[in-house]
Amino acid sequence: MKTVDTRGLSCPEPVLLVRKAIMEGEYPFVVLVDDATPYENIRRYATNNGHKFEVVEEDGEYKFTFTE
Amino acid sequence: MVDERLLVGYDSSDDAAVYIASEEIAIIQTLDFFPPVVDDPYDFGRIAAANAISDVYAMGATPKIALNLLCFSNCLSLAVVRKILEGGADKCMEAGAIIAGGHSIEDEEVKYGLSVMGLCHPDKIRRNDTPRHGDVLVLTKPLGTGALSTGAKVDLIEPESERLMVETMARLNKNACEASLELDVSASTDITGFGLMGHASEMAGNDNQTTLVFESQLIPLLPQAIEMATDGILPAGAYRNRHFIGDRASFASDVPLEISDLVFDPQTSGGLLLAMREEDVEPYRDAMRALGEEAWRVGRVLPWEGAPIKVI
C-alpha cells in the first residue's frame, strides 16, 4: 500500500501531500503524521471534502488510512 | 522592587507597561518583534511596526518615540534591510512617532520590530479587563491573517486576498483608537497572537462575573479565510490557542467548525476589540467609515452565564 510520510514536516505541507495523493487517486493509501496540528488539518480537509478515512493514534503518532 | 506608580505591569495580561510619571502624564511602554510574515521586505517593515505600535493604541494612548529592533543574517542584502527599515519608518511617521534609534544584532533569521513609548493622561488609560455589563463588543479588523499567511506560503490564495491581508496587517490601529477617544469605552485590547478568543478571555477576566457573548455570524473574516479553514490550512497557533482557552469558551452546537477555528486563528497586527455603550456603536462605525475604515459589532458584555466566553 502506498504510504505518504508527513512526519517531520510542518504545516501546510502534510495536508498538501494528502491533497496530492487524493488527486492521484490510488486508494487505499496510508498517511503517517507525528504532530497534532497536521492531524487536525488533514482531518478537516478530508472530512469537509467528503473523503473517507480511518485514523488510529499510537504514542502521539497518527496513521490515516484513506479508502476513497 | 515595588513602585506604586507602575500601574500596569508584568502580573496582568495587559498590552503594555504603564508608569504614572505625574498627575498629567502616564507613560506607556511596549515592544514586539518577529520573523517575516510576508515576502516583501517593505511590507514586512510596515506590518511589524503597525503591530508594535498597536499596543499603545489599545491602551488609548498616543505613540511618541520608537526604537528599532533588528536581527539580520550576513547573507541578507543591505537593500532588503533598508526596505524593512523604510517600512517601519513610514508607519511610525503615519503614527506621529519619532524613530529615535535602535539596535541591531546578527542572527540566523531576520527579525524586526520596535519598542514604542506612548503618552496618555492617567485618567484616560484603557484597560483590557474592565468591560461593563451591557456594552457592545466592536472589532475593527477582519480575522484570518494566520490562516491566509499559511495559505500564502504555498500559493493557495488569490493575489487580491493576499493584498487585502497585507493591507489589513499593515494598517495602524490609529483611526480605530482616535475615533473612539471621546466615547465611554470600558475595555480595549488589540487582537494578536492569542486570536480573538484568547484576547477576549483576558477581557472577560477570571472573577466569574462577566461573559462575553460573540455572534459567530457577525464576525468579520478576510476573503478566503473560510476556504483555508475548511481545507485544513491553519497554523499550529490556532490549535494551541484553542487548547489553551479550553472550556473558557463555549460554542453553540450550530456554530460551524471553520468559524470556531478562525476565532482562535492567531492574528498579526489585528484590530482593536472595544467594549462601548450601545448608543455609541453607530456613531463610532460612522466615524470609522468617514476615515475609510470599518468596524463591526460582534457581540455583547453580559453578566456571568457559566463561561467567560460564549459563541452563538
Side-chain angles (χ1 to χ4, degrees):
Chain A
M1 202 185 315
K2 182 172 147 182
T3 298
V4 178
D5 189 353
T6 75
R7 292 174 298 177
L9 299 176
S10 55
C11 282
E13 292 301 329
V15 75
L16 294 183
L17 291 175
V18 172
R19 284 163 70 128
K20 186 164 166 276
I22 284 171
M23 272 190 262
E24 285 165 3
E26 285 176 46
Y27 294 101
F29 66 88
V30 163
V31 181
L32 301 177
V33 178
D34 65 354
D35 186 66
T37 299
Y39 161 73
E40 292 289 352
N41 277 335
I42 291 168
R43 214 163 56 88
R44 278 164 174 71
Y45 171 72
T47 306
N48 291 326
N49 289 282
H51 303 295
K52 291 213 171 123
F53 63 92
E54 287 176 6
V55 60
V56 286
E57 189 200 346
E58 204 176 293
D59 299 331
E61 295 202 356
Y62 306 85
K63 183 176 160 186
F64 286 84
T65 306
F66 282 84
T67 49
E68 58 175 279
Chain B
M1 193 179 89
V2 177
D3 184 337
E4 60 192 28
R5 286 181 296 179
L6 181 66
L7 196 69
V8 179
Y10 196 64
D11 54 344
S12 84
S13 316
D14 224 310
D15 296 304
V18 178
Y19 189 82
I20 306 299
S22 73
E23 283 181 8
E24 300 289 318
I25 296 172
I27 299 169
I28 285 80
Q29 185 74 53
T30 182
L31 74 84
D32 208 343
F33 65 111
F34 46 59
V37 287
V38 291
D39 289 337
D40 183 275
Y42 179 74
D43 285 339
F44 170 49
R46 291 197 300 150
I47 291 166
N51 184 71
I53 300 168
S54 179
D55 282 343
V56 174
Y57 290 127
M59 306 207 76
T62 305
K64 292 294 181 187
I65 293 177
L67 300 169
N68 280 322
L69 302 160
L70 178 69
C71 308
F72 67 100
S73 61
N74 268 338
C75 58
L76 202 67
S77 84
L78 276 178
V80 169
V81 172
R82 198 175 298 125
K83 282 284 174 198
I84 294 172
L85 294 176
E86 267 176 31
D90 284 355
K91 275 292 142 182
C92 284
M93 188 179 288
E94 188 185 333
I98 302 160
I99 295 187
H103 187 64
S104 59
I105 60 162
E106 272 186 46
D107 197 359
E108 284 172 17
E109 189 183 26
V110 64
K111 299 175 193 77
Y112 174 64
L114 302 105
S115 172
V116 185
M117 188 276 279
L119 297 177
C120 186
H121 191 283
D123 297 341
K124 300 283 185 186
I125 296 164
R126 288 179 174 170
R127 300 288 300 249
N128 67 352
D129 59 354
T130 47
R132 175 177 48 220
H133 295 173
D135 272 8
V136 173
L137 294 164
V138 173
L139 182 64
T140 66
K141 287 187 189 180
L143 304 180
T145 67
L148 262 75
S149 320
T150 307
K153 277 188 214 159
V154 286
D155 296 328
L156 285 178
I157 65 171
E158 305 289 333
E160 178 60 11
S161 306
E162 187 166 2
R163 192 190 66 77
L164 272 170
M165 172 191 75
V166 168
E167 289 312 314
T168 299
M169 292 192 290
R171 192 193 311 146
L172 291 173
N173 281 325
K174 183 177 200 282
N175 289 337
C177 172
E178 289 177 359
S180 72
L181 284 179
E182 297 302 313
L183 307 179
D184 186 9
V185 169
S186 64
S188 164
T189 191
D190 57 340
I191 307 302
T192 53
F194 298 128
L196 177 63
M197 290 295 100
H199 295 281
S201 168
E202 289 171 356
M203 186 174 278
N206 292 316
D207 59 3
N208 294 2
Q209 296 295 311
T210 300
T211 296
L212 304 188
V213 179
F214 290 90
E215 291 186 53
S216 57
Q217 291 172 333
L218 300 181
I219 290 169
L221 301 169
L222 284 166
Q224 286 193 271
I226 289 277
E227 183 188 329
M228 293 300 111
T230 304
D231 282 350
I233 310 292
L234 290 166
Y239 297 109
R240 264 200 307 272
N241 287 340
R242 184 189 277 275
H243 180 75
F244 182 73
I245 294 301
D247 58 11
R248 286 181 60 80
S250 100
F251 288 82
S253 57
D254 59 350
V255 174
L257 179 61
E258 51 271 23
I259 307 274
S260 83
D261 279 338
L262 288 167
V263 293
F264 289 104
D265 186 46
Q267 302 301 287
T268 299
S269 187
L272 297 185
L273 178 67
L274 302 167
M276 63 176 67
R277 293 188 187 279
E278 171 72 57
E279 60 267 31
D280 287 337
V281 175
E282 287 313 316
Y284 177 66
R285 296 183 68 206
D286 288 343
M288 283 288 276
R289 274 186 217 111
L291 294 162
E293 295 191 29
E294 275 192 82
W296 293 264
R297 172 194 288 261
V298 292
R300 201 173 272 279
V301 183
L302 294 179
W304 184 247
E305 289 195 2
I309 303 170
K310 274 185 161 180
V311 183
I312 57 171

